[in-house]
Amino acid sequence: LEARYDAEVKFTDKHVGLILQALRDAGLSERTAVVIFADHGEAFGEHKLGGEPLYFHGESLYNEVLRVPLIVHVPGQAGREISERASLIDLAPTVLDLAGVPLPASFRGRSLAPLVLGEPLSGEAPRPPVVAEMLPCTAWPKNERAIVDTLDGVDYALYAKFTDNLTELYNLSQDPTQQRNLVHEDPTHAKALQKRLAPYL
C-alpha cells in the first residue's frame, strides 16, 4: 500500500513539473505565484480503533491524515521553511492576499502571505488553534473532532470521539506520532483543550 501511495506521489510530482514547465514556456513563471497543497494525508495502520488498524483517510484525524504539504512559491522570494501552524481555511485568504484582492468578511481563515514574503504576521494574537472534524457518513458513521493548540509552550492534540465516547490527548512535542494517550495522566491540559474546542462544535 505504501509503495502504491509513493507511486501516486511520483505521478503527481511529474504533473506538477509539467505545469511549472508550461508556465516557463508561456513566459508566466516570473509573475505567477504557485501554491501546492494536499487536502488530506493517508493512514497506513499507525493507529487502531477497537483493535483494528485504520487505513487511508476519512477514518481518523491523526497527524498522518492532518499534516499535509503546503508549498507557496512567489517569484523573487527566497525559499524558507515556516513552522507556523496553519489550516486549510488559511489558503484562500493567503492566495487572495498575494494577488492583492481584498478578503471577504465571511472568511474565517487568516492570510499567511506576510510569512511567505518574509514578514511577521501583523498584530497577531497568539496563533489560533487548528480544528478538524470528521462527520458521520454512510460508510463510516463516526463523529469526531480534533484540536491542536499550544498550552504552556507545548503543542497538544485533543481528540473528542463522540461516537465511541473516547477522549485522547497527545503531547506533540514528545510524541509526534501520537502513540501515548495522556488524557488520564494530564487531565488539566485535557480539560483546557476541551474548553477551547467547545466554541467550534
Side-chain angles (χ1 to χ4, degrees), residues 47-92:
H47 292 90
K48 295 180 179 181
L49 181 63
E52 293 295 320
L54 298 170
Y55 286 95
F56 312 118
H57 59 273
E59 294 185 351
S60 74
L61 297 173
Y62 293 110
N63 271 354
E64 56 267 22
V65 175
L66 291 188
R67 290 190 60 134
V68 295
L70 171 56
I71 301 168
V72 182
H73 170 72
V74 175
Q77 290 295 315
R80 66 179 65 84
E81 185 175 328
I82 299 170
S83 61
E84 179 70 22
R85 183 170 53 231
S87 181
L88 291 179
I89 62 170
D90 298 328
L91 287 176

